[in-house]
Amino acid sequence: MLRIHVSGWDLSKVRMATGPDALWETILSFHRLRDRRASSVFGKWRSEARPRLNGEVRLLSAVIPPRGYFPDFLTPSQESSDPLDFASGTEALRDTPPDRLRAELAVLGAQAAGGRGPARRAVGPVALDALGEGRAEPLGRLIGALRAYHRAAVEPYWPHVQASIEADRAVRGRALLDGGAEELLGSLPPVIRWRAPVLEADYPVDRDLHLDGRGLLLQPSFFCRGTPVVYRDPLLPPVLVYPVAQAAAPVFAASGPWLGRLLGNTRSTVLRVIGDGCTTSELARRAGVSLASASQHACVLREAGLVHTRRHGSSVLHTLTPLGGSLLRGGAPLAVS
């Protein structure tokens, strides 16, 4: 059982993440890759993702065991409600102090030493020792493996992941508007129960987390399954990663090469980037085009009814229309319930 102790001041500082966090989704998806359960949800994804993977699985297995603790530094924390994209997350990971690397890897090594079977064999002391020294080379190899895995197993499905999380945020936002933070906490999935002043959750171990006035960030996750996740280190900014609701048999479908043939490679890339929601300057940077070109492509997609554009402060924000989302998913329905 996990018990999160929430004071009145903490309650006023409960907040929702504004979208999916790239590293949380990457790490948790690696758990799902090796877990044969929930085949109706993840079976098709596993069959599509596994052939695209190479040696990164072996390296990642050294720091992400199938069960139990994985180091907190793999999912860098942030104070704001804006989740980290993959590039920002890996840069934060690269900046992890060596003493923290050593401490968290020591916990991982102790867990492996007490286990049997594949989990114990996967975590070689040489690999952990080299990483724990804090040198750039082994940490760079880990980040490279994470990047390769993310591109193969997570990135092609990112619009689907984001759509599921946006649907969850809509439910939580309505609860917050209707009844405030207590209603929001009470609306969380059934594995999490709000019994004021304690938020309880099913959890693999018995754990108490005292927020101590720091508030709580609620991070919905597509690849989180069963029970929520919190940091082991109680001094890190408190975050509760919880599973979003799933349909019985969602369709996992990347847009595939046909979209490039339909729209052209550049415009299909622009549509995929807008799938995450972005400003024109973000669109230009992520798609690798000039600001003028990004604006022009967004205009064409908007005129075709695929993109919605609205002004947000001094910026212009682009999001997909239902038609644009359906095209990006290849006509597949959203996996939400």
Side-chain angles (χ1 to χ4, degrees), residues 106-161:
V107 174
L108 181 64
Q111 173 181 269
R116 296 185 179 91
R120 183 172 183 176
R121 293 195 299 270
V123 185
V126 176
L128 293 185
D129 289 346
L131 188 58
E133 291 172 1
R135 291 185 286 111
E137 182 183 356
L139 190 55
R141 286 200 302 270
L142 173 61
I143 291 173
L146 279 170
R147 183 179 296 112
Y149 173 80
H150 176 82
R151 286 175 177 169
V154 179
E155 191 174 78
Y157 307 94
W158 196 249
H160 185 106
V161 170

Side-chain angles (χ1 to χ4, degrees), residues 9-10 13 15 209-216 234-238:
W9 179 243
D10 290 313
K13 297 173 71 176
R15 59 204 189 280
L209 175 60
H210 295 269
L211 300 182
D212 296 327
R214 295 172 295 171
L216 181 67
L235 299 181
L236 290 173

Side-chain angles (χ1 to χ4, degrees), residues 16 18 36 43 77 82 124 141 146 198 203 264:
M16 284 292 303
T18 59
R36 296 184 179 181
S77 60
D82 296 329
R141 286 200 302 270
L146 279 170
V198 178
Y203 209 63

Side-chain angles (χ1 to χ4, degrees), residues 42-156:
F42 296 108
K44 188 174 188 298
W45 166 76
R46 291 188 192 106
S47 66
E48 291 179 355
R50 280 173 177 154
R52 295 195 291 263
L53 300 175
N54 296 306
E56 56 268 15
V57 172
R58 181 174 179 82
L59 179 54
L60 294 181
S61 294
V63 290
I64 310 172
R67 294 171 297 279
Y69 170 78
F70 60 86
D72 291 335
F73 68 74
L74 291 173
T75 51
S77 60
Q78 72 280 349
E79 295 286 352
S80 75
S81 300
D82 296 329
L84 296 173
D85 60 25
F86 191 81
S88 300
T90 51
E91 283 306 305
L93 196 163
R94 195 185 302 275
D95 292 337
T96 306
D99 57 346
R100 181 180 169 188
L101 283 173
R102 284 192 294 272
E104 294 187 8
L105 290 172
V107 174
L108 181 64
Q111 173 181 269
R116 296 185 179 91
R120 183 172 183 176
R121 293 195 299 270
V123 185
V126 176
L128 293 185
D129 289 346
L131 188 58
E133 291 172 1
R135 291 185 286 111
E137 182 183 356
L139 190 55
R141 286 200 302 270
L142 173 61
I143 291 173
L146 279 170
R147 183 179 296 112
Y149 173 80
H150 176 82
R151 286 175 177 169
V154 179
E155 191 174 78

Side-chain angles (χ1 to χ4, degrees), residues 288-307:
V289 298
S290 68
L291 192 62
S293 179
S295 181
Q296 181 184 21
H297 285 302
C299 180
V300 171
L301 294 172
R302 181 172 64 253
E303 290 173 349
L306 304 178
V307 168

Side-chain angles (χ1 to χ4, degrees), residues 14-25 28 75-78 80-84 158 161 165-166 168-169 172 184 188-189 192 216-224 227-231 238-244:
V14 171
R15 59 204 189 280
M16 284 292 303
T18 59
D21 184 286
L23 278 180
W24 274 113
E25 296 297 341
L28 293 173
T75 51
S77 60
Q78 72 280 349
S80 75
S81 300
D82 296 329
L84 296 173
W158 196 249
V161 170
I165 288 175
E166 281 304 312
D168 182 89
R169 278 172 40 82
R172 309 306 159 214
L184 167 61
L188 293 172
I192 306 170
L216 181 67
L217 175 63
L218 301 174
Q219 176 66 65
S221 167
F222 185 86
F223 285 104
C224 180
T227 60
V229 185
V230 296
Y231 289 124
V239 57
L240 179 68
V241 182
Y242 67 88
V244 299

